[in-house]
């Protein structure tokens, strides 16, 4: 009597088991796919929420790094393994496209940011920004305009108001918008220009006092997303870009005061 292990039926069964295991492994691999994302510092809070939702909804994992767009550009040029850039401007993604470091046709505006003058102290900043004209403060926090679009927008606002020369000596210059916020939150600066998303949630300022700077005082802060060369043809990267355009992600954007 022939051995069961040598029978054709056994080998058909074994083949089916191995095929099923292979398909399961592929499915698990797809669910466990990761995407490395360079995220503009102003988008930290909303991105953490979006990433959590994205992981639950798709099975892909987001590996985010938060910082200034200017520094990310230098890191990308030096070969950093980012697969997506969520910039704080539109110029950097365009530049990366032209230089061959990003996938052409993948870029889109995921958010339009808003600038706010903020103080941790209740009642310190009035709703018209007159506190700037009074010039009674000692320190004004501002992200480095050369690296951070929100810092540049703050500079443009002061120029438009004719106040730059009067207050420039009081600048506390931060490396990025997160540090600009921290200077004010810690009391090292009485007030500062920060991203509205850092101090706004569900339709209101979450703490302290603020003046939402009128949009005509600075150039629109169009924040573009782009797939980088290292993310080309990566399922998780393409899935996240699609997710950012969806209703769920945009509801988060609205909650943090962004337009799109």
């Amino acid at each position: 009597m022939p051995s069961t292990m040598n029978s054709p039926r056994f080998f058909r069964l074994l083949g089916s088991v191995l095929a099923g295991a292979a398909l399961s492994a592929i499915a698990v691999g797809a669910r466990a796919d990761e995407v490395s994302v360079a995220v503009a510092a102003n988008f930290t809070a909303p991105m953490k929420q979006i990433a959590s939702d994205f992981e639950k909804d798709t099975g892909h994992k987001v590996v985010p790094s938060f910082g200034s767009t200017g520094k990310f550009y230098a890191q990308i040029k030096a070969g950093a393994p980012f697969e997506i850039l969520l910039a704080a401007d539109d110029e950097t993604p365009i530049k990366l496209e032209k230089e061959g470091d990003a996938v052409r046709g993948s870029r889109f505006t995921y958010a339009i940011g808003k600038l706010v003058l903020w103080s941790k102290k209740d009642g310190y900043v009035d709703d018209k920004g007159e506190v700037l004209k009074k010039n009674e403060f000692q320190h004004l926090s501002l992200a480095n305009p050369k690296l951070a679009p929100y810092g540049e927008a703050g500079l443009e606002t002061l120029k438009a108001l004719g106040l730059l020369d009067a207050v420039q000596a009081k600048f506390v210059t931060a490396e990025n918008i997160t540090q600009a916020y921290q200077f004010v939150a810690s009391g090292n600066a009485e007030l500062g220009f920060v991203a509205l998303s850092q101090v706004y949630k569900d339709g209101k300022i979450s703490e302290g006092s603020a003046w939402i700077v009128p949009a005509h005082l600075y150039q629109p802060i169009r924040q573009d997303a782009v797939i980088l060369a290292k993310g080309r043809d990566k399922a998780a990267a393409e899935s996240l870009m699609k997710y950012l355009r969806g209703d769920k992600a945009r509801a988060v954007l609205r909650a943090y005061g962004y337009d799109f």
Side-chain angles (χ1 to χ4, degrees), residues 35-41 43 47 65-76 81-97 101-103 106-108 110 223-231 237 240-241 244:
V35 55
S36 177
V37 188
V39 185
F43 205 62
M47 187 56 194
S65 298
F66 302 101
S68 71
T69 296
K71 284 204 166 185
F72 281 138
Y73 172 79
Q75 291 169 0
I76 290 163
F82 299 125
E83 295 168 320
I84 286 177
L85 172 64
L86 300 185
D89 63 5
D90 56 358
E91 295 174 1
T92 302
I94 291 172
K95 190 175 181 182
L96 288 167
E97 272 188 331
D101 296 293
V103 177
S106 67
R107 178 175 54 84
F108 74 99
Y110 68 94
Q223 302 191 197
D224 277 12
V226 70
I227 297 178
L228 300 170
K230 293 183 186 300
L240 179 58
M241 293 289 274
L244 286 166

Side-chain angles (χ1 to χ4, degrees), residues 12 18 24 43 239:
R12 285 198 298 273
L18 291 175
S24 296
F43 205 62
S239 182

Side-chain angles (χ1 to χ4, degrees), residues 52-65:
S52 177
D53 292 340
F54 174 74
E55 290 175 7
K56 291 173 186 173
D57 291 345
T58 69
H60 296 307
K61 181 176 175 58
V62 176
V63 182
S65 298

Side-chain angles (χ1 to χ4, degrees), residues 50-243:
I50 290 170
S52 177
D53 292 340
F54 174 74
E55 290 175 7
K56 291 173 186 173
D57 291 345
T58 69
H60 296 307
K61 181 176 175 58
V62 176
V63 182
S65 298
F66 302 101
S68 71
T69 296
K71 284 204 166 185
F72 281 138
Y73 172 79
Q75 291 169 0
I76 290 163
K77 296 300 291 184
F82 299 125
E83 295 168 320
I84 286 177
L85 172 64
L86 300 185
D89 63 5
D90 56 358
E91 295 174 1
T92 302
I94 291 172
K95 190 175 181 182
L96 288 167
E97 272 188 331
K98 290 179 178 177
E99 293 169 349
D101 296 293
V103 177
R104 287 187 177 275
S106 67
R107 178 175 54 84
F108 74 99
T109 300
Y110 68 94
I112 298 174
K114 297 178 185 177
L115 183 70
V116 64
L117 181 70
W118 177 70
S119 174
K120 191 177 180 182
K121 302 175 184 177
D122 291 336
Y124 192 85
V125 175
D126 60 284
D127 61 4
K128 294 184 180 179
E130 294 294 324
V131 64
L132 289 172
K133 295 177 183 178
K134 292 178 181 177
N135 198 9
E136 295 173 354
F137 52 89
Q138 298 301 311
H139 303 99
L140 175 65
S141 179
L142 183 82
N144 186 341
K146 294 180 180 178
L147 296 174
Y150 282 84
E152 185 177 359
L155 210 60
E156 290 172 358
T157 296
L158 292 171
K159 288 177 181 178
L161 295 173
L163 298 173
L164 180 59
D165 291 341
V167 304
Q168 193 163 12
K170 299 182 178 183
F171 283 178
V172 180
T173 304
E175 182 178 294
N176 56 46
I177 200 66
T178 297
Q179 192 177 62
Y181 167 83
Q182 290 169 345
F183 284 155
V184 182
S186 65
N188 287 315
E190 298 98 310
L191 71 171
F193 285 109
V194 300
L196 179 61
S197 60
Q198 294 172 297
V199 298
Y200 186 90
K201 187 70 190 294
D202 297 330
K204 61 182 180 180
I205 299 296
S206 55
E207 182 183 16
S209 53
W211 172 51
I212 299 176
V213 180
H216 71 271
L217 292 177
Y218 58 93
Q219 292 296 313
I221 305 174
R222 297 186 181 279
Q223 302 191 197
D224 277 12
V226 70
I227 297 178
L228 300 170
K230 293 183 186 300
R232 187 188 302 274
D233 298 327
K234 298 287 184 70
E238 292 173 358
S239 182
L240 179 58
M241 293 289 274
K242 182 178 179 181
Y243 197 85

